Amino acid sequence: MTKPLVFLMGRTPVFVPVDRRYGRNHMWAQEGNGGFRLGLSAYAVRLLGDVRHVEWSVKEGDAADEGMPLGYVEASKATSDLYAPIAGRVEAIDAEVLARPSLVNTNPYDAGWLLSMSGDGQPLLSPEQYLAHLEAAWPLAQRLLKGQAGRQP
Amino acid sequence: MTEKIAVILSKDRKASPEQEALHAQLLRGLERRAELDVTVLPHLYDLAPEDPSVQRLRAISGDLIVLGWLYPRSTYWVLDAHGVRGRLGRTTSMPEEDADEPPPSRHGKRVLPDRTLWCFDLRAHDRPEAYLAAIERIAGHKLGEAVALGEAIAAEGSGEAAILDESIGPRWYPVVDFDRCNNCLECLNFCLFGVYGLDAAGAITVEQPDACRPGCPACARVCPQAAIIFPQHNDPAIAGDPRTSLAGLKLDLSQLLSGISPSELAAAERQQAAAEERRRQAAGPIERRGAAPPEQAIPPGPDAPPPADERVDRLVDGLEQLDL
């Protein structure tokens, strides 16, 4: 298998596998039969910390616009809404992650997948583009985090 | 003789029956205590410098207890914006008050008068007892000090509250937390509406508060120190909730994981505000309280952000609805 790309979050390397594409919302998308399997990139997982709870406000068969909120994740360090990286239809929701959210941490790029969507995947980025997106957005992401964290160093 | 202790009860913009009931109960409790000098004012944030309420606030030289419908930190900095300054009082009886750590020392430029401003958020409890107990403790402490000094607290007068019920319109402007601000001037450079300016010493000031676009919180998002407060914004972090800025509390990554970068979000909000301003001006001048009549449309200068694409607009709308 081709070696993954690496992004350095401070001193912590996070991996960007090259066998799939990425949404600007830090989800990976792997094309298979009937659509894209979606999950959180190691970058997003690292920001969240230990994932404790995942829930969806959509169900299988629902249509979704790109950027539409689909659900919610709660983790040790942060919470976040989860958004559709592409426009399309929700095909499947991973029941195993609902039962064992820690799969997102132990295996973010495989068993920790979240849901699958059909669609043309038009806005998705190549691994190289995603890496560039991470590099460009990192100073702002840090600022947002520090802003939220107030006076934390 | 020690002066009476000033207590300000600041009403909400449109008080609900429940809020009115709390006001009435608080007034009954406060007026019973002759050592308190109670004044009822309209919403603190909506007051303008020339309003009698502000004159009255500025005339108070001693300790001040303020009950209002804002986060205590917002109340404190709104008072600061009105030229009413002092140390921020801290009470243990109202733990909500104390969530924030004490402000770090500033670069020595803010000289505070030797008095305390006690700020209470009336949204913290729906019953008056907690507030009255806290005020009693503060008053009791002052009384103790006065007794130790061999002074008596003024107790003449009816104890009846003075009510300054000016009818004033809502305002929208940024309030700067100068304990956090490091004068980086990002807000000055970012704002399209000329809200910010510099004072003689080169420090940031909110020079034209009423030039601010109602609803636009963009400068608060670009502030690296999270020092800008819009007390009436939906997002507690922008409205001055100290708890959203505490270590150990969970971050909300929704902005990051929506795929929209903070700079895009802020730029889109600014863009939206500019577009609204142009529409507003095209529709003819509308008197806005305290605002100088706009003389020119917002120029789409070289500094203007690129047209926000539809996706960004949609995301901004979505984010606003989500009440992040």
Side-chain angles (χ1 to χ4, degrees), chain B residues 6-291:
Chain B
V7 181
I8 302 293
L9 176 60
S10 163
K11 294 206 200 174
D12 204 1
R13 284 179 172 175
K14 283 201 179 81
S16 66
E18 291 78 30
Q19 290 176 310
E20 292 287 5
L22 181 59
H23 285 158
Q25 288 166 329
L26 283 169
L27 273 184
R28 267 199 302 280
L30 295 171
E31 285 177 339
R32 220 172 279 152
R33 302 189 62 97
E35 73 276 20
L36 304 179
D37 185 10
V38 186
T39 310
V40 181
L41 298 183
H43 199 297
L44 274 187
Y45 179 63
D46 291 335
L47 300 177
E50 66 278 8
D51 288 334
S53 295
V54 171
Q55 305 307 324
R56 185 166 180 115
L57 279 171
R58 285 188 187 156
I60 298 166
S61 56
D63 286 357
L64 183 57
I65 298 170
V66 183
L67 302 154
W69 299 90
L70 293 172
Y71 292 110
R73 178 171 160 251
S74 305
T75 296
Y76 179 79
W77 291 108
V78 167
L79 287 170
D80 183 272
H82 291 327
V84 178
R85 302 198 170 100
R87 288 178 303 271
L88 176 59
R90 301 194 169 268
T91 55
T92 47
S93 56
M94 311 268 289
E96 295 88 343
E97 306 288 302
D98 226 11
D100 211 356
E101 61 205 66
S105 63
R106 286 162 42 93
H107 353 277
K109 60 181 173 189
R110 228 168 77 89
V111 182
L112 296 175
D114 180 23
R115 61 147 167 192
T116 305
L117 308 178
W118 311 88
C119 304
F120 295 100
D121 184 352
L122 290 176
R123 299 169 301 182
H125 301 273
D126 51 7
R127 302 280 311 148
E129 287 80 12
Y131 301 106
L132 294 173
I135 292 169
E136 192 164 333
R137 250 189 300 278
I138 295 168
H141 184 70
K142 287 269 295 179
L143 215 56
E145 273 179 0
V147 168
L149 291 169
E151 291 176 347
I153 286 224
E156 79 277 12
S158 61
E160 204 172 295
I163 296 178
L164 269 72
D165 222 351
E166 303 152 73
S167 84
I168 56 173
R171 294 177 75 200
W172 178 272
Y173 56 94
V175 175
V176 179
D177 177 339
F178 286 104
D179 282 331
R180 291 189 182 183
C181 174
N182 62 2
N183 214 38
C184 71
L185 309 185
E186 293 250 358
C187 51
L188 176 75
N189 292 324
F190 187 78
C191 177
L192 280 183
F193 308 105
V195 170
Y196 294 97
L198 296 177
D199 67 11
I204 195 82
T205 60
V206 183
E207 199 170 86
Q208 303 277 354
D210 294 293
C212 188
R213 276 298 304 160
C216 176
C219 57
R221 292 199 206 275
V222 301
C223 176
Q225 295 292 109
I228 299 175
I229 304 170
F230 284 94
Q232 301 294 111
H233 195 271
N234 284 339
D235 181 346
I238 290 179
D241 184 351
R243 284 165 291 182
T244 56
S245 64
L246 275 183
L249 252 136
K250 287 186 186 179
L251 303 172
D252 184 347
L253 297 181
S254 296
Q255 272 181 37
L256 279 181
L257 299 193
S258 72
I260 182 170
S261 73
S263 68
E264 274 178 313
L265 179 68
E269 279 171 348
R270 177 174 69 166
Q271 178 82 3
Q272 229 174 20
E276 275 166 28
E277 183 71 17
R278 281 194 294 272
R279 270 200 297 279
R280 197 179 68 81
Q281 288 181 4
I286 298 164
E287 272 295 307
R288 204 163 82 226
R289 180 186 154 77

Side-chain angles (χ1 to χ4, degrees), chain A residues 52-56 60 72 93-104 111 113-114:
Chain A
R52 307 254 162 87
H53 177 72
V54 176
E55 68 181 42
W56 301 105
E60 290 169 4
Y72 170 80
I93 284 173
D94 180 12
E96 277 186 56
V97 156
L98 293 181
R100 278 178 60 207
S102 60
L103 281 173
V104 175
W113 69 284
L114 297 175

Side-chain angles (χ1 to χ4, degrees), chain A:
Chain A
M1 194 180 125
T2 323
K3 273 180 29 178
L5 304 178
V6 178
F7 175 70
L8 275 180
M9 293 173 77
R11 287 186 200 155
T12 311
V14 294
F15 296 101
V16 178
V18 294
D19 58 349
R20 61 197 76 201
R21 289 196 282 163
Y22 295 86
R24 286 163 54 87
N25 66 347
H26 308 289
M27 278 188 184
W28 54 262
Q30 195 165 37
E31 198 158 12
N33 18 342
F36 293 91
R37 184 169 272 204
L38 306 171
L40 289 168
S41 75
Y43 171 90
V45 173
R46 160 107 185 127
L47 288 178
L48 285 163
D50 296 337
V51 176
R52 307 254 162 87
H53 177 72
V54 176
E55 68 181 42
W56 301 105
S57 52
V58 289
K59 54 187 188 315
E60 290 169 4
D62 284 357
D65 282 339
E66 184 200 341
M68 192 178 107
L70 301 178
Y72 170 80
V73 57
E74 175 155 5
S76 57
K77 285 194 293 189
T79 62
S80 179
D81 290 314
L82 297 168
Y83 301 86
I86 58 173
R89 200 163 56 127
V90 178
E91 296 294 340
I93 284 173
D94 180 12
E96 277 186 56
V97 156
L98 293 181
R100 278 178 60 207
S102 60
L103 281 173
V104 175
N105 294 96
T106 52
N107 204 343
Y109 287 117
D110 188 12
W113 69 284
L114 297 175
L115 76 173
S116 65
M117 280 181 72
S118 59
D120 64 6
Q122 186 265 326
L124 293 173
L125 308 173
S126 70
E128 293 74 20
Q129 286 169 323
Y130 180 58
L131 190 69
H133 171 59
L134 288 179
E135 274 159 4
W138 182 234
L140 287 156
Q142 288 183 82
R143 177 186 292 185
L144 180 94
L145 298 175
K146 284 178 191 156
Q148 280 207 19
R151 286 175 238 128
Q152 287 183 86

